[in-house]
Amino acid sequence: MSNFQLTIIAGSAARQRLASEGWRPELFTAMVGASGGAKLLGLGYLDRYLFGEYLSRSSHPMELYGSSIGSWRHSALACRNPSEAIATLQDRYLNQKWLEDDPRSPTEVVDGLCEWVLDSFLTPSDTSHIANNRRFRTHIVTARGLGLNSHQQKLMLALGMGKAAALNMINRQLLAHSFQRVVFSSGTSESFVFKDFDTEHIELNSYNLRSALLASGSIPFLMSGQRDILGAPLGHYWDGGIIDYHFDFTNCTGDGLILYPHFSDQVVTGWFDKGLSWRRNSNRNSPQALDNVVIVAPSKAYIASLPYAKIPDRRDFQKMSQATRMAYWSECVSASQALADAFIEVIESSDPLRFVVDP
């Protein structure tokens, strides 16, 4: 089992449901997508199988909660042709490139590339389809900057982000002084009732979908963010992962299971918590919080077999030449077929818990 390509983690209630009912797609009433940028390529063919095959076996309604690239992946799932949309998103993300002597600022370059990636599959007809999709109810998580974090000017923003990091280090709840969670939703939120921060749900529609997705993936300093999104409170909107990097599952409600195709076997609540060892090991996402959650992630053995012994990440843009990065990313996407094959083995096993471990 140590060399199996996937790590499958299921909470106590989830294990009981899987044991008695098997891997029926209908068990999952919600799916979560974490922040992670280029890490979406690490899931490659697993996402393609989940979106194009597994979930298409059912027509039951699901809620999709995503921040940053998680919301982009989910928007592909809510398109008319999910398998085509997720393949297009992965291909366009992989093939980002720019002129070395581009006269634009780095922020303008990254903004342009992100719009180029998003627009590859977000057609006008699919924009309407996502906003009105009754089967897949979309929830795009963003972070609205408060105070200094409502500025684009880098010095002001740096002071605001520094203050937010310090407050978060003292207590995660203090992050609410720096950011407000704003969720763009195509329907009511039933699987998550966000109680940990001031949260506002805004109606998702054809007119604000693109801006909401761009905002949800807008890393401060790297991108410009989105300002005064239609229908939402005035202000500047940033990457949803600032608050909900991997999400806080103490906010879970309801009896349905939550499917979590993830880049890692760790669930780190917020972006500022990544470097805080005591926060990473806290009880925010304890086994009790993950009771109804099923995490499907590349195993350590699988990751060790990849080039550079890791899945793609945003740092590759700085550390590698464009040709090297694109070749490496292509290898990782091709290798991810093994993840899809492993998931098929999981769901077709006579023992539904054969490959499942506790949180």
Side-chain angles (χ1 to χ4, degrees), residues 154-218:
K154 289 190 174 181
L155 176 59
M156 304 286 280
L157 184 59
L159 292 171
M161 292 292 285
K163 175 185 175 183
L167 290 173
N168 180 79
M169 188 178 296
I170 298 169
N171 188 312
R172 174 171 157 79
Q173 302 307 309
L174 295 177
L175 192 58
H177 293 287
S178 300
F179 294 97
Q180 178 194 28
R181 178 193 285 123
V182 177
V183 186
F184 292 82
S185 299
S186 63
T188 57
S189 178
E190 298 174 353
S191 294
F192 273 78
V193 176
F194 295 103
K195 302 175 182 177
D196 53 340
F197 282 92
D198 175 29
T199 300
E200 185 159 353
H201 285 270
I202 303 300
E203 180 184 356
L204 182 67
N205 56 52
S206 299
Y207 303 103
N208 61 20
L209 172 62
R210 186 174 182 273
S211 294
L213 287 170
L214 286 170
S216 189
S218 288

Side-chain angles (χ1 to χ4, degrees), residues 94 306-313 316 320 322-333:
L94 189 155
L306 295 175
Y308 307 102
K310 70 178 191 67
I311 63 173
D313 63 60
D316 298 335
M320 302 177 184
Q322 295 197 67
T324 299
R325 170 181 56 81
M326 291 168 67
Y328 155 54
W329 283 5
S330 294
E331 286 187 64
C332 289
V333 171

Side-chain angles (χ1 to χ4, degrees), residues 9-12 14 249 260 267 285-295 359:
I9 302 171
S12 176
F249 286 89
Y260 195 178
V267 181
N285 282 308
S286 64
Q288 291 73 31
L290 297 172
D291 197 35
N292 287 331
V293 180
V294 178
I295 298 172

